[in-house]
Amino acid sequence: MGRGGVESFMMNYYRYIDRSKIQIDFVVHGFEKGDYDDEILELGGRIYQVPVKSINYRGNIKALKKIITDQKYNIIHAHMDAMSYIPLKIAKKEGVSFRIAHSHSTGHLTNNPLKKIINEYARYSLRRCATHFFACSSFAGKWLFGEKLFEKKGIIINNAIEAEKFLFNSEIRSKIRVNLGIEKKKVLGHVGRFIYQKNHIFLLKILSEVIKIDNSIVLVLVGNGYLKKEIENEVVRLSLMNNIVFLDSRNDVNDLLNAFDILLLPSYFEGLSICLIESQANGLPAIISDTITQDVDISGLISFKPLNNIEKWTDAILNEKNERNYSEMKQKIMYANYDIVTNAKRLQDFYQNLI
């Protein structure tokens, strides 16, 4: 339970579901303490840790089976995209009546050919193990479950947020920009794990081009991940050290968004980025890859660009007026049905109706 998009989604809903009516436990892979562990325990949840399947596959299966059989859950809700196949297959075998597969993406989180083959097998097999098919967007649902199945049985669960928390604050903007030493800079921001999907190399290519025109531009990268060291080395190789700020995974992204002038998201794929919902609540303009579903644009603040044309990205950045549009953003989030209070009650009702 680190600070990734799926984890943020789960915590947003967990905080607002009536926990006196629904008991929610978390099964996590690995034995490190997560960022949200203390909060989960304080709110009454239980956390079960199982071995990472790529390190100890048999141990992973054995642990999952024991948890599912011992606790006799009514519902298993899996958030692992294609690899939800594993816990849901066990749940089906152990007689769990309701097995929810939840798609949060539109691609496999790997570029390893062998792992892609395994994931593809799991993606198709998953459809036989789940009883219900959730997705953050229609694009994500059709990718994981197939168009016909999702159109017939799919349910979209919005990546809802607490909009009030992300509204623009000029005082916080000034404070953070001073603390980071970027108060007089044009600031590009990116929030996301350093993984293949997020395409950080492309961000460095963009930065290399825009500073040829405006050397005051700074890129702030927020997050951790297995590719972070590689990106740090590439920054040194490209001599971008004076134009980039690395920040670890943070619990104050809502504040950090105030400090940015433009959010960049050149992902190879996304289900429906929760960060983009948060940035729109803040009134922050965003430039993102056209591989991402246009359903994410609920405010008119998002510009879609192709990954094969860096010139269009640099032109959009250099021509952005930086005029923050934050009027009525909370109302826009609520009107588009991305308010967490309403959505958490909907999910709670769904669980209760199943049982």
Side-chain angles (χ1 to χ4, degrees), residues 200-212 214-215 217-221 231-246:
H200 283 81
I201 288 292
F202 192 80
L203 288 169
L204 300 189
K205 292 178 180 178
I206 292 171
L207 184 62
S208 297
E209 291 300 315
V210 295
I211 63 174
K212 293 176 183 177
D214 183 355
N215 195 43
I217 292 176
V218 170
L219 173 63
V220 178
L221 299 177
I231 296 301
E232 289 174 337
N233 291 338
E234 188 67 6
V235 166
V236 174
R237 190 185 73 81
L238 295 172
S239 300
L240 296 174
M241 295 84 73
N242 295 330
N243 297 89
I244 202 158
V245 176
F246 284 98

Side-chain angles (χ1 to χ4, degrees), residues 33-87:
K33 182 176 180 179
D35 296 299
Y36 293 120
D37 286 11
D38 290 340
E39 184 180 0
I40 289 170
L41 297 173
E42 186 178 340
L43 293 176
R46 292 172 291 201
I47 302 170
Y48 297 98
Q49 295 173 303
V50 302
V52 177
K53 64 181 180 300
S54 60
I55 298 174
N56 183 357
Y57 181 78
R58 289 184 178 179
N60 176 274
I61 300 300
K62 182 179 179 180
L64 286 172
K65 182 177 179 179
K66 179 173 173 53
I67 293 165
I68 291 170
T69 54
D70 286 357
Q71 300 305 321
K72 304 189 185 315
Y73 291 106
N74 300 107
I75 302 168
I76 300 293
H77 188 159
H79 297 267
M80 299 164 60
D81 292 325
M83 297 314 294
S84 292
Y85 164 65
I86 293 175

Side-chain angles (χ1 to χ4, degrees), residues 135-203:
C136 59
S137 69
S138 133
F139 193 23
K142 290 175 182 178
W143 170 75
L144 186 58
F145 307 120
E147 186 170 348
K148 289 183 179 179
L149 177 58
F150 191 72
E151 285 183 350
K152 182 179 180 181
K153 295 186 176 181
I155 299 172
I156 292 178
I157 304 294
N158 285 335
N159 285 353
I161 65 168
E162 185 182 354
E164 188 78 32
K165 182 178 176 182
F166 291 90
L167 300 181
F168 179 73
N169 186 306
S170 59
E171 292 183 6
I172 293 176
R173 173 181 171 86
S174 298
K175 181 179 178 181
I176 291 178
R177 287 170 71 95
V178 168
N179 289 343
L180 295 179
I182 56 175
E183 62 268 32
K184 296 181 180 179
K185 307 287 187 178
K186 183 172 184 175
V187 181
L188 312 177
H190 179 272
V191 180
R193 290 173 176 163
F194 285 78
I195 57 177
Y196 161 75
Q197 171 196 1
K198 299 297 182 180
N199 198 11
H200 283 81
I201 288 292
F202 192 80
L203 288 169

Side-chain angles (χ1 to χ4, degrees), residues 266-282:
S267 301
Y268 288 117
F269 51 85
E270 293 278 350
L272 192 146
S273 169
I274 197 167
C275 183
L276 288 174
I277 303 300
E278 295 167 350
S279 68
Q280 288 175 93
N282 186 266

Side-chain angles (χ1 to χ4, degrees), residues 9 12-13 16 160-163 338-345:
F9 165 90
N12 284 344
Y13 276 85
Y16 281 88
I161 65 168
E162 185 182 354
Y338 281 88
D339 173 67
I340 188 58
V341 176
T342 304
N343 281 276
K345 180 62 166 61

